[in-house]
Amino acid sequence: MCGNEALAEAAIIAGLDAYFGYPITPQNEIPAYMSRRMPEEGRVFVQSESELAAINMVFGASATGKRAMTSSSSPGISLMQEGLSYLAGAELPAVVVNVMRGGPGLGNIAPSQADYFQATRGGGHGDYRTITLAPASVQEMADCMPLAFDLADQYRMTVIVLADGILGQMMEPIVLDKKKRRKLPAKDWALTGATGREQNIVRSLWLGETALENHNYKLQAKYENIQKNEVLCEQYEVDDAEIVVVAYGIAARIVRPAVNKARQAGIKAGWIRPITLWPFPTEQISRAADQMRIFLTVEMSNGQMVEDVKLAVAGKAAVLLYGRPGGGVPTVDEILERIKQLTLPAKR
Amino acid sequence: MKTVFKRTPTLKDCPTHYCPGCGHGIAHRLVAEIIDELGIRSRTIGIAPVGCAVLAYDYLDVDMIEVPHGRPPAVATGMKRTNPDKIIFSYQGDGDLAAIGTAEIIHAAHRGEQITVIFINNAVFGMTGGQMAPTTVLGQVTATTPKGRNRTGEGYPLQISELLAALPGAIYLERCSLHNPAQISKTKKAIKHAFELQIEGAEGLALVEVLSPCPTYWRMTPVKAMEWIEKEMTKVFPLGRLKDVAGE
């Protein structure tokens, strides 16, 4: 299975009620798969007239308590930002998959990681966050879906799965199974028709003095809770390392062999791989920065996550970037060379 | 003493924020009465627009959502597809439906979504201060057409109902008005029919366009505003049933 299909099937297993989407490369396998499988399961598939409509269809389905998702790629995700802001304001759960491609503008259809800022800073207007998961394999494309739906329902907010064109297209064997699920709160806020209860209202408009300010404090408290409890991160050979490479998603896959080769060459290298990009593993990186001399972030962009690494390191160590923007994919040798340059200046 | 008129339960007992002479109050009451007459309150979900009617959920006692500007038909699609047993209606103004939301209404109709749309046409953007709407008539002075709407550069008034009539997925389209009691009664019948079609599971979208007064931004008295609908607006937006697939 390719990553896009693995993700789609995993979403169905996770109890997806409705998929809404608009075609865009490199994620077209998702709507194609959903258009076949969702009707087989007696569930909803709609090809929308635009990404704007798709995210609003998600908004509508989610407001009635259903599990809904959409998927797109970078330019389409930009169009959805209005909806993402409203979902945040209205506190509705949603899962949005971004199979990133090169930008800005129409860019190209090559893999990219240039939407990190957009995903982790909210993206639309207003003070809000979206939980952002960064899978790094086809197996993880599948594994992150039940987690994404559970997190969305638990916290009543959008979870973004931030993948890229390689993860979407590449094929790897995977195991699909029903993982243990979280205990989730009842959706007593959902619009199901006012039967034997007062009306439910889903809204993002808060007029009146301090009403919106208080709503924002409530959202902020939720975000702080997530920052405390939901960070996911993987690390390797960090304890004795003089250089730690920080990378996520497909870039982290390329970093692994580079770090192994550096170790073989006698360089004390390790890596940290954020799995949740928001909440960011600030503490893990900060702890590592107490002992480390150098952090190198490797990104398929001109450097976006590097800013979060710098905030976490807080001046305790040097933070450098190796970035390939516009659809460029770093090679193992390029990364190894950069590690050598930074750690063995005298020998060169 | 015999009770000849009372507030219908789905219309909340509270003052509205609408200006004196505004049509929204009448239209809200019609929707509430219809929901009660059809006995569908417990399975109805309403969608409020961005515009003067954004607070419709403060007046209509049904489950409701407030959504991004122009997107109610997309939100309604998401609701109806996942809840075919529920009755979904959107209540939209002319800025919402005829300007920023044209793509959403056309494609919801095009797909034949089984929803009920109440389209309030008052020829102006109300909430933002009386700017030109696509439905503003030629010569009409607004905050952004100080010399009156000119067809050169500003275009002709957009006739959304006629536009939608061309789509097979739109099964019922009627234009009504609130300018006198007889027309209000006709409007109620039309909106009721649009709900009944959905209840029966008729395969397509039903929309009722309602010409409605905005005395504040027409800069008229409420009485003059009603007269202006009859004399001027109906010339551009003729009243009547444009399409009723079930009845044809």
Side-chain angles (χ1 to χ4, degrees):
Chain A
M1 268 181 151
C2 74
N4 285 334
E5 289 170 336
L7 176 146
E9 183 58 34
I12 292 168
I13 292 172
L16 176 68
D17 292 302
Y19 173 90
F20 307 97
Y22 184 85
I24 184 170
T25 308
Q27 61 83 56
N28 291 317
E29 293 78 10
I30 302 175
Y33 193 88
M34 292 296 191
S35 70
R36 180 170 62 79
R37 285 282 289 120
M38 290 297 274
E40 274 176 16
E41 297 286 328
R43 305 186 207 173
V44 174
F45 168 86
V46 178
Q47 179 170 328
S48 63
E49 67 270 30
S50 68
E51 289 89 348
L52 214 58
I55 193 72
N56 281 287
M57 289 174 187
V58 169
F59 193 82
S62 172
T64 68
K66 307 290 183 184
R67 281 195 158 178
M69 72 173 277
T70 183
S71 63
S72 188
S73 181
S74 308
I77 299 290
S78 291
L79 266 170
M80 292 183 188
Q81 293 305 325
E82 173 195 64
L84 292 177
S85 173
Y86 278 72
L87 283 162
E91 293 194 89
L92 289 179
V95 174
V96 175
V97 177
N98 181 0
V99 183
M100 289 182 283
R101 59 188 253 182
L106 197 53
N108 60 20
I109 58 168
S112 169
Q113 295 183 325
D115 303 347
Y116 179 94
F117 282 151
Q118 190 190 51
T120 60
R121 266 62 178 168
H125 62 282
D127 273 331
Y128 75 94
R129 296 289 189 173
T130 50
I131 295 174
T132 306
L133 305 177
S137 65
V138 175
Q139 182 66 54
E140 285 188 6
M141 289 284 269
D143 290 347
C144 72
M145 292 312 283
L147 176 64
F149 282 106
D150 280 2
L151 287 169
D153 281 349
Q154 181 172 344
Y155 294 105
R156 291 178 59 182
M157 62 189 288
T158 298
V159 177
I160 291 183
V161 174
L162 200 64
D164 65 78
I166 298 178
L167 286 168
Q169 300 293 322
M170 76 181 183
M171 292 195 179
E172 289 180 319
I174 59 161
V175 180
L176 282 167
D177 62 352
K178 293 188 182 183
K179 293 244 156 57
K180 247 194 181 172
R181 305 286 287 279
R182 292 185 183 208
K183 231 184 165 185
L184 296 168
K187 294 184 174 180
D188 53 5
W189 45 265
L191 308 182
T192 55
T195 313
R197 59 160 170 79
E198 291 193 355
Q199 73 174 152
N200 279 343
I201 299 170
V202 172
R203 67 199 294 188
S204 66
L205 179 71
W206 298 91
L207 299 172
E209 208 179 344
T210 72
L212 183 59
E213 187 175 356
N214 289 334
H215 180 59
N216 267 274
Y217 288 138
K218 184 186 159 204
L219 292 180
Q220 199 51 43
K222 173 165 82 175
Y223 299 151
E224 280 165 20
N225 186 19
I226 293 166
Q227 183 77 57
K228 247 181 247 153
N229 296 310
E230 303 295 352
V231 171
L232 292 173
C233 158
E234 218 183 0
Q235 37 188 307
Y236 173 77
E237 304 265 28
V238 168
D239 287 347
D240 70 334
E242 57 177 319
I243 182 166
V244 170
V245 186
V246 187
Y248 70 93
I250 197 66
R253 282 284 284 278
I254 306 167
V255 160
R256 274 180 228 176
V259 164
N260 289 341
K261 283 187 176 181
R263 282 265 167 190
Q264 284 159 19
I267 302 166
K268 287 182 176 169
W271 53 255
I272 293 179
R273 177 203 156 213
I275 298 170
T276 51
L277 302 181
W278 193 88
F280 192 72
T282 306
E283 259 177 51
Q284 288 82 344
I285 288 178
S286 174
R287 264 201 307 274
D290 291 336
Q291 304 133 38
M292 241 47 74
R293 254 190 340 112
I294 299 167
F295 283 79
L296 173 65
T297 78
V298 175
E299 297 180 64
M300 284 147 60
S301 74
N302 270 320
Q304 300 192 7
M305 184 181 67
V306 66
E307 293 192 5
D308 282 336
V309 176
K310 281 182 181 168
L311 285 170
V313 168
K316 290 186 285 188
V319 179
L320 296 126
L321 165 75
Y322 184 69
R324 291 280 307 269
V329 181
T331 66
V332 173
D333 287 345
E334 281 169 22
I335 298 165
L336 180 62
E337 188 58 27
R338 197 82 187 99
I339 292 170
K340 284 180 176 169
Q341 279 170 10
L342 291 169
T343 52
L344 306 167
K347 293 176 193 169
R348 285 179 58 84
Chain B
M1 207 160 57
K2 193 180 156 202
T3 303
V4 292
F5 179 80
K6 62 172 184 172
R7 185 182 48 79
T8 195
T10 292
L11 190 66
K12 292 190 199 176
D13 189 9
C14 64
T16 73
H17 71 285
Y18 297 120
C19 302
C22 173
H24 278 306
I26 303 170
H28 285 9
R29 199 190 87 202
L30 297 184
V31 172
E33 285 176 355
I34 290 162
I35 288 171
D36 288 331
E37 285 167 20
L38 295 173
I40 54 172
R41 178 181 172 268
S42 63
R43 60 181 180 120
T44 296
I45 304 172
I47 303 172
V50 172
C52 289
V54 65
L55 296 173
Y57 45 78
D58 283 347
Y59 313 128
L60 296 174
D61 192 18
V62 292
D63 275 9
M64 284 199 77
I65 189 170
E66 155 243 302
V67 311
H69 197 23
R71 318 300 171 221
V75 175
T77 300
M79 289 179 163
K80 186 69 181 183
R81 292 293 189 104
T82 51
N83 299 273
D85 56 324
K86 298 288 188 300
I87 303 302
I88 313 292
F89 77 90
S90 75
Y91 184 104
Q92 303 178 251
D94 42 38
D96 202 72
L97 187 139
I100 198 166
T102 34
E104 284 75 14
I105 188 61
I106 285 175
H107 283 275
H110 162 66
R111 288 189 302 268
E113 299 297 342
Q114 297 179 23
I115 58 171
T116 302
V117 180
I118 298 138
F119 168 37
I120 306 293
N121 177 359
N122 62 8
V124 80
F125 278 76
M127 191 168 73
T128 46
Q131 295 85 357
M132 179 184 72
T135 47
T136 294
V137 304
L138 292 180
Q140 188 182 339
V141 173
T142 71
T144 50
T145 53
K147 293 177 179 172
R149 183 176 190 171
N150 187 334
R151 65 186 164 85
T152 308
E154 286 148 5
Y156 291 94
L158 188 58
Q159 294 162 310
I160 283 282
S161 294
E162 281 80 354
L163 204 68
L164 293 174
L167 304 175
I171 54 165
Y172 173 59
L173 297 161
E174 179 152 353
R175 186 181 286 120
C176 306
S177 170
L178 300 177
H179 71 263
N180 65 34
Q183 294 300 330
I184 291 171
S185 170
K186 274 192 180 175
T187 303
K188 185 175 173 182
K189 274 187 199 142
I191 296 176
K192 195 171 187 176
H193 184 53
F195 271 100
E196 283 166 345
L197 285 169
Q198 188 180 164
I199 293 167
E200 291 159 12
E203 291 184 359
L205 181 140
L207 178 144
V208 179
E209 177 174 345
V210 182
L211 304 187
S212 178
C214 181
T216 301
Y217 291 113
W218 294 355
R219 298 172 203 289
M220 293 175 193
T221 64
V223 172
K224 284 276 174 219
M226 293 304 197
E227 288 170 11
W228 192 76
I229 293 179
E230 186 171 15
K231 284 186 190 141
E232 300 300 328
M233 257 187 111
T234 54
K235 277 196 259 174
V236 187
F237 301 108
L239 303 183
R241 188 166 288 196
L242 286 102
K243 191 177 186 181
D244 186 5
V245 171
E248 272 159 17

